[in-house]
Amino acid sequence: MSAPPMAGAKPATPSPSSAKQKRLAAALQRSLWWLASVGSLVAIWELCWLAGLADPLLLPPPHIFLANLTEQFKFFAPAGSSDDGEAGGLLPVLAVMAWTSMRVIVGLALGFVGGVAVGVAIRYFRLFGLLTLPTITLLTPISPVAWLPVAVFVFGIGDMPAIFLVFISVFFVIVLSTLSQIDNVPPAYLHVARIMGATKHQLFRHVILPTILPSLFVTLRLNLFAAWMVVLIAEAVGVGAGLGQVVMMARNTFNSSLVFFTMTLIGLLGYGFDRALLLVQRRVLWWVDPSSPVGGK
């Protein structure tokens, strides 16, 4: 029978190697569940095709629209290109994915930083808040898609209209979320900081900002997918070359295999962006427990 632990003895802390093994095991488990989830969808889709429930012309299963990647790649090449090789054809696909990703990244970054800055300014500068908050509240319900003609009128054709639409899809929501989070900072935090002699700048930097950032990152992740929808719509109407334009071309030519192939790329990119944003969130919010609701999963 083992002896009871001595009084006052410190509990054994896990070694770095043990903690690393636990993280790897957790990552492996998440990957297996991801594969099981996606594999179930693919299996159901293929079974529907085998049973004759899915028309291969309208709903081609993965083994059909992924069968000839070279044939799909050629639709991503610029107009007038005669590149037919698979290796060469892959470069235009990566270029199209990169252009769409760039528009999303720039729009999200501008929308998040600008939304937080404006939200803080509204709460800290009374006159600025009185002048801007009613207008922001009025513009928030307007769908980002409704801003598309305005974006084209102001910026013309190119990257800027798509970036602007992504910015709009995030900016107003982040402003209102920032206001809500500032108002919900526990008063005890503010009282303790003031008792310790914190200035207004120190109060914001060391108390308010660390308190509101976790929820703001959650809001940003939730609006990430809305940003992807908006940029694809902008590209589909001809604002700029990208995955949305390829989907629209596939629809116009009734190429269902190209539609689902491009949708697969969009889904993978969106999932990758969400995982990348989660990693950024954990790096920036180093003081937040990853297992908490705002720590990300």
Side-chain angles (χ1 to χ4, degrees):
M1 184 175 180
S2 61
M6 296 178 61
K10 295 182 179 179
T13 57
S15 63
S17 59
S18 176
K20 185 177 181 179
Q21 289 175 355
K22 288 183 178 179
R23 288 195 298 268
L24 290 176
L28 178 60
Q29 185 179 28
R30 287 194 300 268
S31 300
L32 291 176
W33 279 113
W34 188 90
L35 291 174
S37 176
V38 176
S40 299
L41 173 63
V42 172
I44 294 173
W45 197 344
E46 294 286 353
L47 287 174
C48 290
W49 170 77
L50 285 173
L53 300 177
D55 189 340
L57 293 178
L58 301 178
L59 296 172
H63 83 272
I64 291 181
F65 67 78
L66 295 177
N68 192 350
L69 293 179
T70 307
E71 187 69 19
Q72 308 293 356
F73 288 168
K74 70 179 185 180
F75 293 101
F76 292 80
S81 173
S82 59
D83 198 359
D84 295 328
E86 183 174 350
L90 181 60
L91 293 178
V93 176
L94 297 177
V96 170
M97 295 170 65
W99 277 113
T100 300
S101 300
M102 180 275 294
R103 292 166 186 142
V104 173
I105 292 173
V106 175
L108 280 177
L110 293 176
F112 183 74
V113 175
V116 173
V118 171
V120 171
I122 288 174
R123 277 294 174 262
Y124 272 79
F125 303 99
R126 185 172 182 271
L127 179 60
F128 179 78
L130 292 174
L131 290 174
T132 58
L133 185 56
T135 302
I136 289 175
T137 307
L138 177 68
L139 297 177
T140 300
I142 301 176
S143 169
V145 180
W147 287 90
L148 182 56
V150 178
V152 175
F153 296 156
V154 175
F155 300 106
I157 302 298
D159 295 324
M160 285 305 300
I163 293 173
F164 175 76
L165 290 184
V166 175
F167 170 84
I168 287 293
S169 69
V170 175
F171 175 76
F172 294 120
V173 177
I174 293 295
V175 170
L176 297 182
S177 180
T178 301
L179 296 176
S180 175
Q181 296 303 321
I182 291 177
D183 294 340
N184 289 326
V185 173
Y189 294 0
L190 305 177
H191 294 332
V192 171
R194 291 192 181 104
I195 291 172
M196 296 177 68
T199 63
K200 191 174 183 180
H201 173 74
Q202 292 172 331
L203 195 67
F204 168 74
R205 181 179 177 183
H206 298 292
V207 179
I208 295 177
L209 193 61
T211 304
I212 67 176
L213 273 180
S215 296
L216 291 179
F217 264 96
V218 172
T219 304
L220 180 63
R221 285 184 64 199
L222 292 176
N223 283 273
L224 169 66
F225 303 109
W228 267 97
M229 294 183 225
V230 167
V231 76
L232 292 172
I233 292 173
E235 292 174 348
V237 298
V239 165
L243 293 171
Q245 192 177 65
V246 175
V247 171
M248 183 58 64
M249 177 183 64
R251 190 208 70 167
N252 293 337
T253 58
F254 204 70
N255 189 338
S256 57
S257 293
L258 181 60
V259 169
F260 285 103
F261 174 71
T262 312
M263 288 173 61
T264 302
L265 296 179
I266 294 169
L268 292 174
L269 274 176
Y271 180 82
F273 266 65
D274 181 65
R275 295 293 95 185
L277 189 56
L278 179 57
L279 291 177
V280 172
Q281 175 181 333
R282 288 176 177 173
R283 290 284 185 179
V284 175
L285 310 179
W286 51 267
W287 64 89
V288 179
D289 183 4
S291 61
S292 66
V294 297
K297 293 183 180 179

